[in-house]
Structure formats: C-alpha cells, structure tokens
Amino acid sequence: MKIKNKGRAALVVLGDIGRSPRMQYHALSLANQARMEVDIVANGGTDPHMAVIENQSIHLYKMRTIHLRRLSNISSMLVLVLKTFIQFFQLIWFLCVKIPRPDIFIVQNPPSVPTLAAVKLASWLRSSKFVIDWHNFGYTLLGLSHGRSHPVVKIYHWFEFFFGRMADGALCVTKAMKHELDQNWGIKATVLYDQPPEFFHPTTLEEKHELFCRLLKDLGRSHGIVDYISLEMRGLNDSGASKGNESDLKDTLFSTKVDHEICLKPNRPALVVSSTSWTSDEDFGMLLEAAILYDRRAAAAMKDDDLIEVEMLWKDISNGKQYLYPRLLFIITGKGPEREKYENQIKKLQLKRVAFRTMWLSAEDYPLLLGSADLGVCLHTSSSGLDLPMKVVDMFGCGLPVCAVSFSCIEELVKVGTNGLLFSNSSELADELLLLFKGFPDNNSDLKLLRDGTLTSWSSARWATKWEEHAQPLIEKVISRTRGPES
C-alpha cells in the first residue's frame, strides 16, 4: 500500500546537482521522511547519487548551462549581464511552467544572482512558500576575485541582502552564520549542520580490495611522471597481477588476495585523500609544499643518501623493506577551474616518497575511497569564515580523521586531538603528516587515536536524524502558513 504524500517541494540549484550533495540529501529526506513529492530544478552535468535517481518521488529537471564564450572576448561585463538575464528567465520558465506547483521552494544559496529573485517571483506567482538554505554568502565568494570594495561585489551584496530577507524561512550551516544572519541581516535562521548520510561509512576489507582493483587503471595514468607509483604499477604489470578482469585481480598497490583471503600489504603506501573544487578559496599549493617538505624531512630523519633514486627506493620496498616514514599517495578528487594549473605543477615535482593522482569518482565509489583512506586533508578556507566544508563531514562519516586548514569557525566541526588536527601553513601540515604516519601502518598510535575518536564521535551522527530534528519542523511550519488551518 502506497503511503499518501504530504505535499510537494521544489529544490532549486543554479549549479551542477551532482556536485551539490546537501541538496541531494534534502531531496531524499523530503521524499523518504516527509513523504513529499520532490522536484529538483538544477543544471545538468554530473549525475546525482543513485539513491536520488532511483527514488520514484524525486523528479529531476535539468536546465541548460549558459555559455557565452564568444562574447567574453568582447566584454566580460556584457557576458555577466546577459548571462544573468538568460538564467533568470530560464529559472522562471522551469519554476512556473515546467514543474507542478509546489507547496514550498527550497533554494541553495549561493549563487544568489539571479536565483533568489527568480525563486521569490515564482513563489509569489504560484502562491508557494520560499526557504533559503544558506551554505555561504555569494558576495564573499565574488569578493575573492574582485575584492570586497568592487562595485559589482557591493551590488551583489545588496541583492543578496534584499532578497534574502524576503524568504519565509532560512536554514544555515553553522552557529557563526546564524549569528551573522541574525545580527546583521535581520534573518532568523535554523542551524542544520551537514551530516553524512547512511552510505558514508567505513569500508570493509573486501570493499577496499575491490575499489583498489577498479582504481588500478587510474593510478597507472602517470602522464609521463616517474614516481614510485608508476614504478610499482610497472612491477604489477610485469608480474601479471593487474591483468584480466577486476574480479580476478589478486594484487593491488595496497592489498593482496591469497586463497580468497584479503589482507593489506604491510609496506603499502599511506593513502591520503583531499576533495577539492579547484577554486581560489582552496590553496592547493599549500598541499604541494607540504608534500615537498614531508619528502625532505622524512629523508633527513632516516639519514637517506640524497642521491638515492626512486627506482632504488622502490626495489627496496618491493623486496619487503619497511621504512619509519611511509610513502604517501595523495588522491585528489574533484572538478574545477584550477585543476589543470596544479596538475602541471605536480608534473614538475621530483619526489621520492610522495605521489599524486587526480581523478573524478562516481557518487558510489567516492564514499568507498574515503572509507579506504588513512587520512583526509581539507584545504577549504571559507570566503566568509562562516561556513564549514562538507567534504570533512563526509570523511568523518567514513571514520576518516582529517587535517584541515584553520579558520574562524572550523572548530565547530574539527575537534583537535579527537577527530583531526588543524594547520595554518604548509610546514605545519608537513609536521602533522610526519607525526601521524611515523611507524605506519602498525606503530602509529597518534593516527589510530584520531581514527578511534572519529568513529566514536560520528558513529551516530547522521543526516536523516538531524534533518528530522531541525529542518522538518521549520519546513512544516512554513508550509502550514500556505495551506491554512483547514488543511
């Protein structure tokens, strides 16, 4: 027997829905917990999680992404104005014509322009309510590239302030943001911390091995870089361990399978994951500098001969030798405008104990990677100083401790010594890597302490529980004003 739905909600994302996990989780909670029909209006691009795609109560409407590349050579300001108008009318078309009338619009902010104005107009035309989920402030993001005093940034700030106050309700991601909205914007917001959904969890040994088998080809793509990973991949190929179907593989960089029994290699690299959008609010150069410092300091601590070649180091390790400080493999996931610039910088590095690979993972494999890693690194610095990186929340959900850049409200999320460490520069990050990975994989008590603390503190912290406690009452209260007491 089908449970009767309680209403309809429209989620609005002027961006790639596949890269908007919080809005995907909203959709799942509205459909599964509030038993509402959900329409997602968003740009195309990356596919959302399969749980969203397969949910029969969630309906995805993809808008076309606006590109005006030819005009950008004439005038960037003209492109900005034209793109804003086109996006505004595209939003109105979808929100007022393409989708059924919703009881409530829930819009992701930022971007604010033209989203907030379009959703406000659509809510008025369709007699619906309008809630903003404040992830950050759009004008502070724009200020990263133009400066806070730029006229365009000031206009954007006014627009965000004016239409932000018109909403019927507000959610936000931190207590610091709630205070800012209350004191300086006149907006009463409910804090809904990002929480991992159920599919972010520690991975089993079998899941790790299967994932490592699937990633072998991606790890083998060195693009001409000679590092210990490319040499070890060559060894796997020579032994035939990486040939054949994924299900037949017995040997990976991290694991081995003998007589149907899987175990992790004692001399495996330490796997460090960093998720990035490759934008200016994440200083990826800090991670590259930390990697260089780790490579040098580890060599100095073990009194290595500076002339030792990567090939010689790999031969020692392949013969079973273990070092006080392990090799590190940084897997950097994500898409964004600065990716190519940093990939070119990585190609110029000549590191003996550190290797980098950049890749984009499916929504299903990404949680498995986090659950298979040994440490997460977050470079998010926050343009406003008031939002928290959701990537860290996902890592915690998988039991993965984190080293994160320190900024004003990060300690609302990262508890130093319990689930992670904070750093302010590349030297501090390098020191933390040396501290946590000394004696890896069996004799590194500091890393194990953080992992145990992460598993303990985040084992029961899940999105569905917090959404039901904080977001659902607000949404139901706002909708009740639309329906009136008789309904």
Side-chain angles (χ1 to χ4, degrees):
M1 179 179 176
K2 186 177 180 180
I3 299 175
K4 184 178 178 181
N5 289 85
K6 291 185 176 181
R8 195 170 203 105
L11 299 181
V12 185
V13 180
L14 191 60
D16 186 343
I17 184 59
R19 297 168 67 186
S20 303
R22 182 174 167 102
M23 299 306 283
Q24 294 183 55
Y25 306 158
H26 270 305
L28 290 169
S29 290
L30 287 163
N32 298 332
Q33 294 170 255
R35 302 200 302 275
M36 299 182 76
E37 291 294 317
V38 182
D39 300 304
I40 300 176
V41 177
N43 288 346
T46 312
D47 288 333
H49 196 278
M50 286 303 297
V52 173
I53 295 173
E54 294 175 351
N55 193 303
Q56 295 184 358
S57 295
I58 299 176
H59 318 280
L60 183 58
Y61 295 81
K62 292 185 179 181
M63 299 182 293
R64 182 176 297 177
T65 303
I66 306 300
H67 296 292
L68 300 171
R69 294 190 181 93
R70 292 182 180 178
L71 287 177
S72 63
N73 296 325
I74 302 173
S75 170
S76 58
M77 185 59 65
L78 176 62
V79 168
L80 181 64
V81 173
L82 281 177
K83 187 175 182 179
T84 299
F85 273 99
I86 294 170
Q87 288 176 329
F88 177 83
F89 288 109
Q90 182 178 232
L91 277 167
I92 292 298
W93 171 253
F94 273 83
L95 302 182
C96 295
V97 179
K98 294 279 286 183
I99 67 172
R101 176 196 168 275
D103 295 292
I104 187 169
F105 288 99
I106 301 175
V107 57
Q108 170 184 292
N109 186 75
S112 314
V113 180
T115 324
L116 299 186
V119 175
K120 177 58 187 175
L121 178 58
S123 68
W124 177 71
L125 291 172
R126 307 201 76 175
S127 299
S128 305
K129 291 298 181 180
F130 164 32
V131 167
I132 300 175
D133 189 8
W134 294 84
H135 298 192
N136 200 348
F137 294 109
Y139 83 95
T140 62
L141 289 170
L142 191 62
L144 291 175
S145 55
H146 293 80
R148 292 283 184 94
S149 61
H150 194 282
V152 172
V153 177
K154 290 183 177 180
I155 293 170
Y156 200 108
H157 185 195
W158 174 87
F159 185 99
E160 192 169 21
F161 179 87
F162 181 79
F163 286 100
R165 289 162 58 94
M166 289 187 173
D168 301 294
L171 295 164
C172 65
V173 294
T174 64
K175 292 179 181 177
M177 185 175 288
K178 172 184 171 70
H179 183 266
E180 168 69 14
L181 288 169
D182 184 17
Q183 296 298 309
N184 298 320
W185 295 59
I187 296 171
K188 302 294 183 181
T190 298
V191 177
L192 175 63
Y193 283 118
D194 285 322
Q195 301 286 348
E198 296 298 329
F199 42 80
F200 282 87
H201 56 77
T203 58
T204 65
L205 194 56
E206 184 177 358
E207 288 174 329
K208 288 181 182 181
H209 182 71
E210 290 174 354
L211 175 68
F212 295 148
C213 290
R214 288 197 295 274
L215 294 182
L216 267 182
K217 290 181 180 179
D218 290 315
L219 295 175
R221 294 192 184 102
S222 62
H223 302 289
I225 301 173
V226 178
D227 55 24
Y228 77 83
I229 292 293
S230 60
L231 294 171
E232 191 158 349
M233 287 296 300
R234 191 188 307 165
L236 287 173
N237 287 326
D238 291 342
S239 67
S242 63
K243 296 178 182 178
N245 298 324
E246 289 174 359
S247 59
D248 298 329
L249 295 178
K250 296 181 179 180
D251 219 14
T252 74
L253 294 170
F254 305 93
S255 59
T256 187
K257 187 176 183 180
V258 180
D259 296 329
H260 304 290
E261 184 175 344
I262 299 169
C263 63
L264 295 175
K265 294 180 176 179
N267 60 348
R268 67 185 181 275
L271 178 56
V272 185
V273 174
S274 184
S275 310
T276 178
S277 54
W278 300 100
T279 53
S280 54
D281 64 345
E282 295 176 306
D283 184 2
F284 190 74
M286 191 185 301
L287 182 58
L288 296 187
E289 291 171 7
I292 295 170
L293 291 173
Y294 175 90
D295 201 60
R296 291 174 180 172
R297 292 174 185 176
M302 293 183 287
K303 300 179 180 179
D304 278 358
D305 184 348
D306 288 340
L307 298 178
I308 186 173
E309 298 292 337
V310 176
E311 289 87 346
M312 293 295 296
L313 184 67
W314 176 78
K315 286 180 180 178
D316 286 343
I317 292 171
S318 64
N319 289 327
K321 184 174 181 178
Q322 289 182 259
Y323 286 86
L324 181 63
Y325 293 103
R327 300 162 297 157
L328 302 184
L329 171 59
F330 288 93
I331 293 184
I332 316 300
T333 70
K335 297 177 181 179
E338 296 191 350
R339 176 173 171 173
E340 185 177 355
K341 179 183 82 172
Y342 283 114
E343 284 179 333
N344 289 332
Q345 291 184 24
I346 290 170
K347 291 178 182 178
K348 298 176 184 178
L349 299 178
Q350 294 181 336
L351 304 177
K352 300 171 185 176
R353 287 178 173 79
V354 182
F356 286 87
R357 292 295 182 270
T358 59
M359 61 182 69
W360 175 259
L361 293 163
S362 69
E364 289 69 41
D365 274 350
Y366 177 61
L368 295 176
L369 176 65
L370 297 185
S372 302
D374 300 297
L375 182 70
V377 171
C378 177
L379 303 168
H380 179 86
T381 54
S382 177
S383 62
S384 64
L386 300 172
D387 69 313
L388 293 173
M390 191 166 190
K391 62 198 75 176
V392 171
V393 176
D394 294 338
M395 291 173 181
F396 286 163
C398 295
L400 182 64
V402 171
C403 290
V405 174
S406 179
F407 62 90
S408 58
C409 69
I410 188 64
E411 290 188 40
E412 287 190 42
L413 179 61
V414 179
K415 310 300 180 185
V416 175
T418 300
N419 55 26
L421 299 174
L422 300 177
F423 61 90
S424 299
N425 53 56
S426 56
S427 182
E428 289 181 6
L429 175 56
D431 285 339
E432 290 173 2
L433 295 172
L434 290 165
L435 169 70
L436 296 177
F437 287 118
K438 183 179 181 180
F440 180 88
D442 297 320
N443 300 309
N444 51 329
S445 57
D446 291 291
L447 182 60
K448 289 180 180 178
L449 185 66
L450 292 183
R451 179 173 286 277
D452 290 342
T454 304
L455 289 169
T456 300
S457 59
W458 284 80
S459 60
S460 60
R462 293 295 159 181
W463 170 269
T465 304
K466 297 300 180 181
W467 188 91
E468 194 169 297
E469 181 180 349
H470 299 288
Q472 189 168 355
L474 171 68
I475 291 168
E476 290 179 348
K477 181 179 179 180
V478 169
I479 290 176
S480 68
R481 299 179 198 151
T482 305
R483 293 175 173 174
E486 294 183 1
S487 58

